[in-house]
Amino acid sequence: MKWAHDLLIEYSKGKKELQRMKVQLKKDDREVEKQINSMIDSMTFAINWMETGRDPDSHRGIDKKSIYHKQFFESIDVIPDITDQLYDIDSKQLYMTSEEKSILADIFTSWSLKERHCYIEHVVNNKSLQTIANDLNIGKSTVQKYIERAKNKVNNKVL
């Protein structure tokens, strides 16, 4: 699932770069501006598709964001215990009940892409807020807000 997350980040960076190029254009470059606008539209379409898991132009039916993620997380039978892996203690696996899987799926799908990325990088991979901010090209305080939101969502689901 990390590849999808990485692809989404790459598309977002590419879209920002195209927007910067558009701002730097001279006023008489109408053809180039049209091409850049077309590329920005295509990138936006692809990003929306990846985030929602459905065709952004299709307005039929119920749009349930991250439905594929929820189905994936609910189908998990075994999860490696992260704390054991971090401290390299005997690598055992944690078996979960269907209720626990459902709660975990609800937590993961309630997070936005950035909340998930920031939380996992900070809590699991022990990256500093500044390192995460540099990786995502956002402010350190923004990273802190994403992590706080993710923690609040965990507390709301668990407590």
Side-chain angles (χ1 to χ4, degrees):
M1 195 61 78
K2 184 173 175 6
W3 64 268
H5 171 72
D6 292 343
L7 185 61
L8 196 51
I9 289 173
E10 287 300 315
Y11 269 70
S12 297
K13 286 179 183 178
K15 181 181 169 187
K16 284 181 185 178
E17 185 60 35
L18 287 169
Q19 289 168 332
R20 281 190 211 113
M21 289 172 58
K22 182 180 170 185
V23 169
Q24 295 173 351
L25 281 177
K26 297 178 183 174
K27 294 189 189 241
D28 60 338
D29 287 339
R30 292 278 184 219
E31 286 301 313
V32 175
E33 184 178 8
K34 277 181 165 179
Q35 290 176 338
I36 290 176
N37 283 336
S38 175
M39 290 188 286
I40 290 172
D41 290 344
S42 295
M43 298 281 271
T44 302
F45 182 84
I47 289 168
N48 288 339
W49 192 309
M50 285 185 272
E51 288 176 340
T52 62
R54 69 184 263 318
D55 183 351
D57 287 343
S58 175
H59 298 291
R60 289 191 225 147
I62 298 172
D63 181 20
K64 185 124 180 161
K65 187 173 181 182
S66 301
I67 189 68
Y68 300 118
H69 292 148
K70 185 166 177 87
Q71 290 171 349
F72 169 76
F73 293 127
E74 285 182 345
S75 69
I76 294 174
D77 289 327
V78 177
I79 279 191
D81 189 353
I82 293 169
T83 56
D84 284 350
Q85 288 181 353
L86 287 175
Y87 299 107
D88 203 19
I89 300 172
D90 64 356
S91 182
K92 64 181 180 181
Q93 300 199 329
L94 175 66
Y95 290 88
M96 299 172 58
T97 66
S98 59
E99 182 182 346
E100 290 169 333
K101 286 191 272 185
S102 180
I103 291 170
L104 184 63
D106 284 343
I107 290 169
F108 286 160
T109 58
S110 71
W111 288 341
S112 72
L113 183 66
K114 296 241 174 141
E115 288 169 346
R116 188 175 334 145
H117 181 80
C118 292
Y119 185 87
I120 290 172
E121 289 296 310
H122 183 66
V123 175
V124 177
N125 296 331
N126 285 330
K127 285 191 177 179
S128 70
L129 299 179
Q130 189 61 56
T131 302
I132 299 167
N134 292 343
D135 291 346
L136 296 176
N137 292 327
I138 57 177
K140 181 179 170 183
S141 62
T142 305
V143 171
Q144 188 173 8
K145 285 180 187 176
Y146 284 133
I147 293 170
E148 287 172 10
R149 282 187 208 154
K151 285 180 180 180
N152 287 337
K153 289 177 181 180
V154 169
N155 289 335
N156 290 337
K157 299 284 183 186
V158 175
L159 300 178

